[in-house]
mmCIF file of all heavy atoms in Angstrom:
data_model
loop_
_atom_site.group_PDB
_atom_site.id
_atom_site.type_symbol
_atom_site.label_atom_id
_atom_site.label_comp_id
_atom_site.label_asym_id
_atom_site.label_seq_id
_atom_site.Cartn_x
_atom_site.Cartn_y
_atom_site.Cartn_z
ATOM 1 N N LEU A 4 4.498 14.508 20.544
ATOM 2 C CA LEU A 4 3.502 15.240 21.517
ATOM 3 C C LEU A 4 4.097 15.878 22.724
ATOM 4 O O LEU A 4 3.559 16.841 23.152
ATOM 5 C CB LEU A 4 2.414 14.227 21.968
ATOM 6 C CG LEU A 4 1.423 14.722 22.869
ATOM 7 C CD1 LEU A 4 0.617 15.897 22.062
ATOM 8 C CD2 LEU A 4 0.410 13.697 23.202
ATOM 9 N N PRO A 5 5.275 15.407 23.261
ATOM 10 C CA PRO A 5 5.631 16.010 24.555
ATOM 11 C C PRO A 5 5.982 17.485 24.482
ATOM 12 O O PRO A 5 6.468 17.973 23.498
ATOM 13 C CB PRO A 5 7.048 15.245 24.899
ATOM 14 C CG PRO A 5 7.443 14.823 23.526
ATOM 15 C CD PRO A 5 6.259 14.480 22.652
ATOM 16 N N LEU A 6 5.562 18.109 25.488
ATOM 17 C CA LEU A 6 5.910 19.577 25.700
ATOM 18 C C LEU A 6 6.904 19.559 26.904
ATOM 19 O O LEU A 6 6.467 19.592 28.040
ATOM 20 C CB LEU A 6 4.737 20.265 26.042
ATOM 21 C CG LEU A 6 3.626 20.227 24.851
ATOM 22 C CD1 LEU A 6 2.336 20.905 25.415
ATOM 23 C CD2 LEU A 6 4.194 20.921 23.686
ATOM 24 N N PRO A 7 8.208 19.395 26.596
ATOM 25 C CA PRO A 7 9.207 19.195 27.729
ATOM 26 C C PRO A 7 9.157 20.196 28.924
ATOM 27 O O PRO A 7 9.392 19.853 30.016
ATOM 28 C CB PRO A 7 10.531 19.302 26.942
ATOM 29 C CG PRO A 7 10.287 19.127 25.559
ATOM 30 C CD PRO A 7 8.850 19.693 25.320
ATOM 31 N N THR A 8 8.724 21.526 28.543
ATOM 32 C CA THR A 8 8.818 22.401 29.649
ATOM 33 C C THR A 8 7.554 22.300 30.535
ATOM 34 O O THR A 8 7.644 22.809 31.689
ATOM 35 C CB THR A 8 8.796 23.894 29.074
ATOM 36 O OG1 THR A 8 7.684 24.033 28.134
ATOM 37 C CG2 THR A 8 10.075 23.987 28.246
ATOM 38 N N THR A 9 6.506 21.744 30.176
ATOM 39 C CA THR A 9 5.230 21.605 30.949
ATOM 40 C C THR A 9 4.869 20.242 31.359
ATOM 41 O O THR A 9 4.273 20.039 32.347
ATOM 42 C CB THR A 9 4.115 22.378 30.334
ATOM 43 O OG1 THR A 9 3.792 21.858 29.022
ATOM 44 C CG2 THR A 9 4.382 23.911 30.248
ATOM 45 N N ASP A 10 5.100 19.245 30.411
ATOM 46 C CA ASP A 10 4.591 17.851 30.691
ATOM 47 C C ASP A 10 5.174 17.346 31.996
ATOM 48 O O ASP A 10 4.267 16.801 32.829
ATOM 49 C CB ASP A 10 5.065 16.911 29.563
ATOM 50 C CG ASP A 10 4.066 16.958 28.449
ATOM 51 O OD1 ASP A 10 3.185 17.785 28.465
ATOM 52 O OD2 ASP A 10 4.227 16.189 27.460
ATOM 53 N N SER A 11 6.408 17.476 32.339
ATOM 54 C CA SER A 11 7.041 16.959 33.516
ATOM 55 C C SER A 11 6.442 17.618 34.806
ATOM 56 O O SER A 11 6.528 16.962 35.935
ATOM 57 C CB SER A 11 8.519 17.001 33.487
ATOM 58 O OG SER A 11 8.829 18.403 33.528
ATOM 59 N N GLN A 12 5.868 18.683 34.773
ATOM 60 C CA GLN A 12 5.281 19.504 35.890
ATOM 61 C C GLN A 12 3.818 18.806 36.142
ATOM 62 O O GLN A 12 3.440 19.035 37.332
ATOM 63 C CB GLN A 12 5.154 20.906 35.511
ATOM 64 C CG GLN A 12 6.512 21.560 35.410
ATOM 65 C CD GLN A 12 6.439 23.089 34.914
ATOM 66 O OE1 GLN A 12 5.353 23.579 34.889
ATOM 67 N NE2 GLN A 12 7.510 23.574 34.626
ATOM 68 N N SER A 13 3.137 18.312 35.143
ATOM 69 C CA SER A 13 1.773 17.854 35.461
ATOM 70 C C SER A 13 1.533 16.460 35.068
ATOM 71 O O SER A 13 0.349 15.890 35.334
ATOM 72 C CB SER A 13 0.821 18.779 34.624
ATOM 73 O OG SER A 13 1.165 18.829 33.276
ATOM 74 N N LEU A 14 2.495 15.609 34.547
ATOM 75 C CA LEU A 14 2.236 14.258 34.233
ATOM 76 C C LEU A 14 3.274 13.370 34.872
ATOM 77 O O LEU A 14 4.298 13.781 35.219
ATOM 78 C CB LEU A 14 2.422 14.168 32.663
ATOM 79 C CG LEU A 14 1.470 14.950 31.757
ATOM 80 C CD1 LEU A 14 1.845 14.721 30.324
ATOM 81 C CD2 LEU A 14 0.014 14.473 32.034
ATOM 82 N N CYS A 19 4.857 10.840 30.548
ATOM 83 C CA CYS A 19 5.921 11.575 29.768
ATOM 84 C C CYS A 19 6.525 10.664 28.718
ATOM 85 O O CYS A 19 6.894 11.042 27.667
ATOM 86 C CB CYS A 19 6.940 12.245 30.647
ATOM 87 S SG CYS A 19 6.279 13.651 31.560
ATOM 88 N N ARG A 22 4.212 9.695 25.807
ATOM 89 C CA ARG A 22 4.067 10.884 24.942
ATOM 90 C C ARG A 22 5.425 11.107 24.103
ATOM 91 O O ARG A 22 5.231 11.478 22.934
ATOM 92 C CB ARG A 22 3.761 12.149 25.678
ATOM 93 C CG ARG A 22 2.441 12.226 26.189
ATOM 94 C CD ARG A 22 2.082 13.571 26.872
ATOM 95 N NE ARG A 22 0.709 13.729 27.307
ATOM 96 C CZ ARG A 22 0.038 14.869 27.226
ATOM 97 N NH1 ARG A 22 0.676 15.918 26.649
ATOM 98 N NH2 ARG A 22 -1.165 14.959 27.626
#
Side-chain angles (χ1 to χ4, degrees):
L4 182 58
L6 302 171
T8 58
T9 59
D10 276 2
S11 61
Q12 296 170 8
S13 55
L14 300 173
C19 289
R22 285 180 176 222

